[in-house]
Amino acid sequence: MTALLIIIAVLLGYVAYRLILREGGIFLGPYEFKFRKDPGPDEFLQRLKELQQGKQDFESRLVLSAATSKFPNNIEFFRLAMDKVFTDLKTAQTEKEVEEIFTRGESLIKEFGAASGTDSISLLTEYSKRLVQAQEEFYSLRKERDLEIERRQRERNEEILKELENILEGIRASNDEMAIRDAMHNAARLETGMDLSLVDESQNERYRDVKNGFYKMAEEKVESLRSARYSRYNRKAIERLKKLLDEFTENEKELSRSGSSLPVTLKEYIGTLNTSYFDGPTMQYFNYVYGYIFSLIDEDLKFEVTRIMAETEKDTLDI
């Protein structure tokens, strides 16, 4: 059995060999692998035309690249490859693509120049000039664009500086907390639009001044607003303490007894008061009112009052 398999394998191998020998190679899709002889320029050119007629761009590029590599001094392949370079330049979408195409063109010219003779000098010169002209146009346009972008950014830097200076003056003149907060946020947003690498010496000095001005103004305004808010809070605390005292005085007999609604009343009027925000006079008044009421209530009510006052969440001021 083993001997029979060996004989069959040998026969199949011989048949395959005869087919390859007769056909001169094996054709696989767009590619052709030769075993008896290498394809010449005519075979490459014929295959290239077939692929182009079939609109197989990727495959035709591979064949053309292989042809220029195998026959670096072939005028026809050089011309086709360079024409493809200039066609690709017209359809390139990004600067990176353009620069890669330039590199490809330079490599083709360098390799063809090294491999060709003096009879190709005029052709080489023609394509070299075209490539250099395309490069000069591209880099000139890019420089103009970059200069225009830089000019616009310099103008924008000046606009932002003026806006920041105006905002700073507005904050100095304002005591409106929300307006100051909005102005600060607006200034921070505007600042991100500046390109500090493009500011001149005068602008840089103004920028430092306005930035330092914002830091100082922020400290001053925060302290001023904190002081104003604390003052308002203390006034309201005194009003609440007075209402509690009036309420307790009018209903002392009822509220001072065990089981009364005094804990609820205390929580409603002063339970949330945060004594850490009190100034001296308010703290004294708080101690007086609370101490006065505490001294008049029944003993078993004192525990409940103390618990309510301790567990009730206190006010917080966002400053």
Side-chain angles (χ1 to χ4, degrees):
M1 184 66 177
T2 304
L4 180 60
L5 290 173
I6 293 173
I7 292 170
I8 292 172
V10 171
L11 287 173
L12 288 173
Y14 177 74
V15 171
Y17 170 74
R18 294 298 300 173
L19 285 171
I20 293 170
L21 201 63
R22 187 186 70 190
E23 297 297 329
I26 297 177
F27 183 79
L28 298 174
Y31 312 107
E32 191 172 4
F33 299 89
K34 295 289 184 177
F35 294 94
R36 295 187 62 197
K37 61 179 181 178
D38 289 335
D42 292 340
E43 285 83 1
F44 269 97
L45 190 58
Q46 180 182 352
R47 186 64 187 138
L48 182 61
K49 289 179 179 179
E50 290 173 357
L51 292 170
Q52 289 174 339
Q53 289 172 357
K55 296 182 178 180
Q56 294 175 273
D57 184 66
F58 176 75
E59 291 83 356
S60 68
R61 286 175 182 272
L62 289 178
V63 171
L64 182 57
S65 177
T68 55
S69 178
K70 190 173 182 63
F71 308 104
N73 63 339
N74 186 284
I75 291 176
E76 184 65 20
F77 292 140
F78 173 69
R79 190 189 300 276
L80 288 170
M82 287 303 298
D83 288 344
K84 192 65 176 172
V85 165
F86 293 111
T87 299
D88 290 345
L89 283 174
K90 293 178 181 178
T91 58
Q93 300 294 314
T94 65
E95 292 185 8
K96 184 179 179 181
E97 282 185 62
V98 172
E99 290 177 337
E100 288 174 350
I101 295 169
F102 282 151
T103 300
R104 194 173 86 221
E106 289 170 349
S107 296
L108 285 168
I109 289 173
K110 181 179 179 181
E111 291 166 6
F112 181 72
S116 61
T118 56
D119 58 332
S120 302
I121 290 177
S122 60
L123 180 66
L124 191 64
T125 302
E126 175 192 342
Y127 278 110
S128 295
K129 285 182 177 179
R130 287 181 62 187
L131 186 64
V132 169
Q133 182 180 359
Q135 289 173 321
E136 288 177 348
E137 291 176 358
F138 170 74
Y139 291 119
S140 176
L141 288 172
R142 185 164 73 175
K143 184 177 181 180
E144 288 179 11
R145 181 208 61 192
D146 291 345
L147 287 173
E148 177 62 17
I149 291 173
E150 182 178 318
R151 183 188 66 78
R152 291 180 181 177
Q153 183 59 54
R154 289 182 186 278
E155 290 180 352
R156 183 58 184 150
N157 282 348
E158 180 62 27
E159 291 173 0
I160 292 173
L161 267 175
K162 288 180 179 178
E163 289 185 65
L164 290 175
E165 288 167 343
N166 291 334
I167 290 172
L168 182 58
E169 290 304 314
I171 292 175
R172 282 198 179 102
S174 176
N175 289 315
D176 186 324
E177 180 181 342
M178 291 307 299
I180 291 173
R181 287 179 184 273
D182 290 343
M184 288 288 193
H185 288 313
N186 188 32
R189 179 186 60 79
L190 282 170
E191 187 182 3
T192 61
M194 289 191 68
D195 185 342
L196 298 180
S197 67
L198 296 177
V199 297
D200 57 32
E201 186 176 346
S202 173
Q203 289 175 327
N204 192 40
E205 186 176 350
R206 286 166 59 200
Y207 174 71
R208 287 198 304 268
D209 289 344
V210 77
K211 191 151 188 167
N212 290 334
F214 272 109
Y215 287 142
K216 292 178 181 178
M217 187 55 56
E219 292 177 356
E220 292 173 7
K221 287 297 179 180
V222 165
E223 185 59 35
S224 174
L225 291 172
R226 180 185 290 117
S227 177
R229 177 163 286 192
Y230 283 1
S231 295
R232 290 195 299 271
Y233 188 77
N234 277 265
R235 287 197 299 271
K236 291 181 179 179
I238 290 173
E239 291 174 2
R240 289 162 66 179
L241 285 163
K242 186 176 185 306
K243 288 180 180 179
L244 171 63
L245 183 59
D246 291 343
E247 177 81 12
F248 182 80
T249 301
E250 292 177 6
N251 304 283
E252 180 181 337
K253 289 183 179 181
E254 179 183 344
L255 292 176
S256 60
R257 295 174 183 173
S258 299
S260 73
S261 61
L262 179 62
V264 176
T265 302
L266 279 172
K267 183 175 182 178
E268 178 184 350
Y269 283 108
I270 66 169
T272 62
L273 289 180
N274 191 332
T275 57
S276 63
Y277 300 137
F278 287 176
D279 55 25
T282 305
M283 192 71 227
Q284 290 176 3
Y285 189 56
F286 175 85
N287 289 334
Y288 164 73
V289 172
Y290 186 73
Y292 174 76
I293 294 173
F294 198 81
S295 68
L296 296 176
I297 60 178
D298 291 349
E299 289 300 319
D300 54 351
L301 188 57
K302 290 180 180 179
F303 172 78
E304 186 63 18
V305 165
T306 303
R307 186 186 65 80
I308 287 290
M309 291 297 293
E311 293 179 357
T312 302
E313 187 176 351
K314 306 305 178 186
D315 299 326
T316 57
L317 300 182
D318 297 328
I319 289 290

